[in-house]
Amino acid sequence: MPLHVPPAPAPALRSVLTALGSPTAVRQAPTPSLRNAEGPATPDLPLPVHVLDAITPEGVRATRLAGWRFLIRCGDRAVAAAETRLTPDGWAFSHFFEGPYVASTERALRQAESVAQPYQARLLSVPGLYMLTLWLHGDCTADGAAGHPQATDLLVPLAPAPPGIAAHRPHAVSDLLPVLTLRATPAPLLGQPA
């Protein structure tokens, strides 16, 4: 399998396992599919979640690690996801959630497994466009918690993707970045010089 999933920090995994073992945390989560799941729920496929706050015409300067996301599997399917975040005391469970990005992430990961070149799987969030992508990083030995997208890395927009950007279609960073830059750059106000 050419897809490499970087190991999550042990405290992040422990925090998710503790939350899954807490009837209160599961019962209070806004995730009916997790609350109603039959059988044991297990965290799977930890992915570092990087955030791209700004895109410059020159490209991506850096991303910041926002947390680790685990798909929560019951049987053979993901029913929810768990997010962890870094606090002053270390990694901590943040919340459970469900929705279209859970199934979309699982689908994109399955598609990525069929790619011939090996990649390291990450998630890249572009909050300015309400966009989440599966980031396929070309350096499988890199620290999953650091770095920024390289021109030859692939970004696979997850559904729902912004209008005009095809979901589940891999794009080289060098091809998608100009589109994102154009979309994320505010238009000049009327009467203002461009």
Side-chain angles (χ1 to χ4, degrees), residues 96-159:
F96 291 114
F97 67 94
E98 62 183 48
Y101 285 134
V102 173
S104 187
T105 300
E106 192 172 39
R107 175 182 170 188
L109 287 166
R110 276 194 315 267
Q111 287 175 315
E113 287 176 344
S114 65
V115 176
Q117 179 179 338
Y119 285 103
Q120 183 187 79
R122 305 171 176 197
L123 292 173
L124 181 65
S125 173
V126 186
L129 297 175
Y130 302 100
M131 181 177 181
L132 184 64
T133 70
L134 176 63
W135 170 12
L136 300 174
H137 188 55
D139 183 357
C140 295
T141 62
D143 177 0
H148 60 277
Q150 301 296 313
T152 56
D153 289 353
L154 297 179
L155 297 176
V156 182
L158 301 180

Side-chain angles (χ1 to χ4, degrees), residues 47-58:
L47 297 172
V49 180
H50 294 263
V51 176
L52 179 59
D53 288 318
I55 305 170
T56 66
E58 298 79 32

Side-chain angles (χ1 to χ4, degrees), residues 34-72:
L34 180 59
R35 287 193 310 265
N36 301 328
E38 295 181 21
T42 57
D44 191 26
L45 296 170
L47 297 172
V49 180
H50 294 263
V51 176
L52 179 59
D53 288 318
I55 305 170
T56 66
E58 298 79 32
V60 176
R61 290 287 178 242
T63 61
R64 64 180 168 85
L65 181 66
W68 283 81
R69 182 171 296 173
F70 297 77
L71 292 181
I72 304 301

Side-chain angles (χ1 to χ4, degrees), residues 9-28:
L13 176 57
R14 277 194 305 272
S15 72
V16 171
L17 290 169
T18 300
L20 281 171
S22 166
T24 304
V26 172
R27 192 170 47 251
Q28 291 180 354

